[in-house]
Amino acid sequence: MGKKKAMVPVEELDLSTVKYEPEVIKAPHLTGLVLKLFVRMVEAPVIGSLIMSFLKKQNKMVEMLQNTVIPEAPMFKPEFPPQDAEPSVVTADEEGKPEDRVESALKCLPHYDPPSCWSGDLLPSFRYWKIRDYAHAYRSKIVTPSMVAEKIISVIEEFNYHKPPTPLLISFDAEDIRKQAAASTKRFEEGNPLSILDGIFMAIKDDIDCYPHPSKGATTWMHKVRSVEKDAVCVSRVRSCGVILIGKANMHELGMGTTGNNPIYGTTRNPHAMERYTGGSSSGPAAIVASGLCSAALGTDGGGSVRIPSSLCGVVGLKTTYGRTSMEGSLCDSGTVEIIGPIASTVEDIILVYAAILGSSPEDRICLRPPPPCFPDLSSLENAYTLGSLRLGKYTEWFNDVHSTDISDVCEDVLNLLSKNHGCETIEVVIPELNEMRTAHVVSIGSETMCSLNPDCEDGNGVKLTYDTRTSMAFFRSFTASDYVAAQCLRRRLMHHHMEIFKKADVIVTPTTGMTAPKIPPSALKDGETNMQVTGYLMRFIIAGNLLGLPAITIPVGYDKQGLPIGLQLIGRPWGEATILRLASAIEELCAKSRKKPASFYDILNVK
């Protein structure tokens, strides 16, 4: 029999007794025929539950969820204590027009000087074209949105003939893109673009509605049981700013994986190294931005799905505070850990897209009481002072628990640069119960996913899912109602630990992932794979953003010895997007010279 344990009430926990426990995941790495056999076994009535019980015991989940007395009450969705207003910001109206918010965000950006970016010879190194570069090119009549559209269409059509196939989009309609681009071109000819985002190209992850495209969630059947009548709220907001939507981007099926592997539509390749994964589950959005095809994309993040691929592909990804953006019109619109967030090649582009999409749902406004959204005023004189006063919390043993020391070394160098150039102080913090946090997260996201997919699985669609998704579903099916409640009690404890840290630190800093882009095993392309060790490394620093709903951003800060991108993650206080965006902008500037052009890159704006 398992021995009963009792946790100390959270207020009485002595941090000096907390020891860092490295994560140990016990699960087999399976591909090909062995994976198919394993799925058969875990889906079988008796043997399946025995296998799952064994795996849960091996990974101490039974001990944590069933044999432990957790004194705290459950917290069924993030509950945030009131927060102080952030300094040196411009406040936006979340109920106003998206184009007005974008205009106020634009005024917060540093001065834009077109000539210096335009004469390529002045640039110290590779840089991506920014939204303001496109806007300048359109307004100066250097190019039109229709000219850019033709270039993008030809690249996407050429992708169909790649060997190996590198599918970026699941749904794409060249005529629809031409129509949107012609309307934008006409607005520029008439001298009345809708906003700085007019004529900017964006991709939408396949689990977010973008009319008239179907939302398949990268399955073979979701669009047959759920029709799309209109844009998701976030998509309608960017569309009203004049954004041109190029289609639905590839993803890990139903968002249930961290690599981006997809045997149905093909696995998206990392633009920096085509034999490697992009990371997931927003694989298509991150690869599309990293390869220069689009300025930005929208992804979803319920377990790092915006931040992991952004980090592995060397771009910027923002996970907003839970409830800051509306989830209406997405496949994951009823969970307690997911958000829709932007992926872009630069922090300033993230700010502009974030300005367009933000705005809580009416329900979240009632229960979460979000303060007014705001942007960091990067053009103000106080910006340097505000930046210098930031205290960065670092849990050194956790920070260094990575697959290769290249990652922790590069991230550490950035913290030293921040201290030297801006005076930001790094302070040591301790985050207790990290393994409990991972368990609480997997039980939460797993149970919520199961709840939303159960009716379709009972209808016979479950067996049409890929083998790795079916493995996850069998695991999720093994969670009980009491496991779910225990996970929510852990959520309350972990929220307390983090709120205590934010009394002395403004931001928690970590590497974004514990490893750089993993190689794609050739045997995983046809039938997928399950590799929990890789998932463990990719999700090592991710969970607080999801289980606790905290805002977080990943910024590319360098490369490992193999030339693969490394991301640094900033985790902020609830509703503290402006602070992490301000710090991200400073980090981006410090690392700009080291940025490398991906092996697969399209110079879309250069239409010569």
Side-chain angles (χ1 to χ4, degrees):
M1 292 293 287
K3 279 229 174 70
K4 183 170 99 167
K5 279 178 30 182
M7 288 178 128
V8 177
V10 70
E11 288 88 359
E12 294 169 27
L13 183 66
D14 178 359
L15 289 184
S16 65
T17 64
V18 173
K19 286 194 170 47
Y20 179 71
E21 289 176 33
E23 180 183 21
V24 180
I25 296 176
K26 294 179 179 170
H29 174 203
L30 308 172
T31 63
L33 185 62
V34 186
L35 174 60
K36 290 181 179 178
L37 286 171
F38 183 73
V39 171
R40 282 276 164 83
M41 285 160 67
V42 295
E43 288 181 345
V46 179
I47 192 166
S49 50
L50 289 173
I51 293 170
M52 286 306 165
S53 280
F54 174 74
L55 282 173
K56 286 197 296 189
K57 279 202 174 99
Q58 285 283 88
N59 291 285
K60 298 191 172 171
M61 290 179 74
V62 174
E63 179 191 321
M64 209 181 286
L65 297 166
Q66 291 170 19
N67 303 343
T68 302
V69 178
I70 307 166
E72 284 68 39
M75 179 187 283
F76 288 105
K77 65 195 315 192
E79 295 169 15
F80 304 126
Q83 301 295 311
D84 292 339
E86 296 172 280
S88 183
V89 294
V90 170
T91 305
D93 176 8
E94 68 172 328
E95 294 187 57
K97 286 183 174 168
E99 46 276 51
D100 294 344
R101 289 196 298 271
V102 170
E103 186 57 36
S104 33
L106 183 61
K107 288 179 181 151
C108 295
L109 300 181
H111 174 71
Y112 175 70
D113 191 7
S116 69
C117 337
W118 227 258
S119 46
D121 34 88
L122 292 182
L123 299 176
S125 59
F126 167 72
R127 83 188 258 302
Y128 282 95
W129 294 115
K130 299 191 292 191
I131 286 171
R132 289 198 285 179
D133 297 330
Y134 279 89
H136 174 76
Y138 295 154
R139 283 157 182 78
S140 316
K141 301 191 168 47
I142 298 169
V143 294
T144 65
S146 288
M147 287 160 73
V148 176
E150 288 310 321
K151 193 155 180 189
I152 292 173
I153 290 165
S154 70
V155 169
I156 292 168
E157 288 177 344
E158 170 201 315
F159 261 93
N160 298 335
Y161 305 106
H162 273 213
K163 293 277 180 281
T166 47
L168 294 175
L169 293 167
I170 283 176
S171 178
F172 157 74
D173 177 350
E175 284 317 305
D176 181 56
I177 297 174
R178 286 188 177 108
K179 204 165 86 190
Q180 294 177 68
S184 176
T185 300
K186 186 164 184 264
R187 289 192 292 271
F188 280 105
E189 283 166 1
E190 291 167 355
N192 52 8
L194 296 171
S195 77
I196 195 83
L197 296 180
D198 205 333
I200 299 300
F201 291 80
M202 276 179 74
I204 306 294
K205 189 179 178 184
D206 196 35
D207 59 354
I208 305 169
D209 291 347
C210 177
Y211 188 80
H213 299 276
S215 290
K216 299 177 181 175
T219 64
T220 55
W221 53 266
M222 182 58 78
H223 57 298
K224 296 173 187 167
V225 299
R226 180 186 175 280
S227 60
V228 174
E229 310 295 337
K230 58 178 186 177
D231 286 338
V233 169
C234 285
V235 174
S236 73
R237 286 175 181 160
V238 292
R239 205 190 282 271
S240 71
C241 295
V243 165
I244 298 168
L245 303 162
I246 71 159
K248 303 301 292 292
N250 202 352
M251 59 183 282
H252 205 114
E253 187 183 45
L254 291 174
M256 269 197 241
T258 53
T259 58
N261 180 296
N262 190 317
I264 300 168
Y265 296 98
T267 295
T268 307
R269 307 299 183 122
N270 193 314
H272 287 269
M274 299 301 271
E275 74 288 358
R276 291 179 183 268
Y277 281 125
T278 52
S281 62
S282 308
S283 49
I288 285 167
V289 171
S291 60
L293 264 179
C294 280
S295 301
L298 292 186
T300 50
D301 190 316
S305 288
V306 159
R307 290 162 289 158
I308 293 168
S310 297
S311 177
L312 267 46
C313 292
V315 292
V316 188
L318 173 66
K319 190 249 153 225
T320 52
T321 305
Y322 176 78
R324 179 53 95 194
T325 54
S326 169
M327 295 297 291
E328 192 186 324
S330 66
L331 298 187
C332 45
D333 59 0
S334 54
T336 67
V337 294
E338 293 96 346
I339 59 93
I340 291 173
I343 296 174
S345 53
T346 62
V347 176
E348 72 165 60
D349 290 356
I350 287 279
I351 293 173
L352 293 171
V353 177
Y354 167 62
I357 66 170
L358 66 79
S360 308
S361 67
E363 302 76 35
D364 283 340
R365 267 179 228 168
I366 293 165
C367 64
L368 295 170
R369 297 192 295 279
C374 49
F375 315 120
D377 193 349
L378 303 177
S379 60
S380 78
L381 297 170
E382 296 124 64
N383 188 50
Y385 170 76
T386 309
L387 196 57
S389 65
L390 292 177
R391 293 153 307 167
L392 317 179
K394 175 185 172 220
Y395 185 12
T396 299
E397 284 180 278
W398 187 38
F399 190 100
N400 292 338
D401 186 8
V402 287
H403 191 258
S404 149
T405 52
D406 292 1
I407 296 174
S408 43
D409 290 349
V410 166
C411 291
E412 183 74 45
D413 289 348
V414 175
L415 300 185
N416 293 334
L417 281 173
L418 279 172
S419 164
K420 199 170 102 194
N421 288 276
H422 298 289
C424 305
E425 184 192 354
T426 299
I427 59 171
E428 186 63 28
V429 298
V430 172
I431 308 176
E433 301 172 0
L434 287 167
N435 285 324
E436 285 79 353
M437 180 156 72
R438 292 183 191 107
T439 298
H441 172 262
V442 76
V443 172
S444 301
I445 195 170
S447 305
E448 290 163 14
T449 300
M450 214 50 240
C451 179
S452 70
L453 289 175
N454 254 336
D456 295 319
C457 292
E458 295 298 315
D459 263 359
N461 287 310
V463 291
K464 298 176 193 164
L465 295 167
T466 58
Y467 293 106
D468 77 319
T469 305
R470 285 164 67 180
T471 306
S472 300
M473 296 286 277
F475 184 46
F476 298 163
R477 208 172 276 121
S478 74
F479 300 146
T480 63
S482 63
D483 289 342
Y484 186 75
V485 174
Q488 309 318 303
C489 297
L490 290 172
R491 188 180 333 218
R492 187 171 299 279
R493 286 181 73 86
L494 285 147
M495 185 68 87
H496 180 273
H497 296 323
H498 283 74
M499 292 308 113
E500 287 300 299
I501 290 167
F502 285 126
K503 286 177 183 172
K504 51 181 191 268
D506 298 294
V507 172
I508 296 169
V509 288
T510 71
T512 305
T513 57
M515 72 189 300
T516 51
K519 275 208 164 111
I520 305 172
S523 57
L525 288 169
K526 183 169 172 285
D527 295 309
E529 70 170 325
T530 172
N531 187 342
M532 294 317 290
Q533 275 69 28
V534 162
T535 294
Y537 273 117
L538 293 177
M539 292 184 73
R540 176 136 307 155
F541 306 104
I542 286 299
I543 304 299
N546 300 111
L547 184 71
L548 308 179
L550 302 172
I553 191 168
T554 176
I555 315 99
V557 289
Y559 302 85
D560 68 4
K561 289 188 182 69
Q562 295 161 293
L564 300 167
I566 292 169
L568 178 76
Q569 177 180 232
L570 311 174
I571 305 170
R573 291 190 177 96
W575 316 114
E577 282 85 358
T579 298
I580 59 173
L581 288 165
R582 182 189 316 280
L583 188 55
S585 177
I587 291 168
E588 177 179 66
E589 205 176 310
L590 292 171
C591 301
K593 287 188 178 64
S594 67
R595 210 156 185 193
K596 291 182 197 159
K597 185 158 130 181
S600 169
F601 177 76
Y602 299 91
D603 191 354
I604 295 295
L605 192 51
N606 197 352
V607 286
K608 290 171 197 152

